[in-house]
Amino acid sequence: MVGVDLAPGTCLDFGGGRATSVLDVVMEIYRLVGGEGRPRPGLLPNRPAEAATQVADLGLTAEVLGWRPEVDLETGLGWTIERFEG
């Protein structure tokens, strides 16, 4: 760490820093894995206080780790899927 004291339970965000809906992420994963089935959005009710669109706040992550995104969502998801399939 870069000398930043964090309170227990502090979360760091990782992402591209642009708004992406949960459904868009799910659809991209399904496209990349090319498996059977399909997402069924709306089948279950939304969970209380769950935002449909998420935006990573990279300020603290950059301050603590010096990390910035270097790949787009599609590439990152593809690498993650390869890692778990391989």
Side-chain angles (χ1 to χ4, degrees):
M1 292 197 334
V2 184
V4 175
D5 290 327
L6 300 176
T10 299
C11 293
L12 301 177
D13 286 350
F14 293 87
R18 71 175 176 85
T20 304
S21 74
V22 174
L23 180 58
D24 286 346
V25 174
V26 169
M27 296 301 286
E28 183 64 16
I29 292 169
Y30 268 78
R31 187 186 73 74
L32 289 168
V33 298
E36 296 178 17
R38 62 179 173 79
R40 297 176 65 189
L43 185 64
L44 298 174
N46 292 340
R47 291 185 272 181
E50 180 177 42
T53 300
Q54 306 285 325
V55 180
D57 179 353
L58 304 178
L60 184 59
T61 304
E63 181 182 344
V64 172
L65 301 177
W67 183 87
R68 295 260 184 232
E70 296 181 3
V71 299
D72 61 18
L73 179 64
E74 179 181 356
T75 302
L77 287 174
W79 289 350
T80 302
I81 290 165
E82 286 176 13
R83 166 68 173 89
F84 285 97
E85 287 182 336

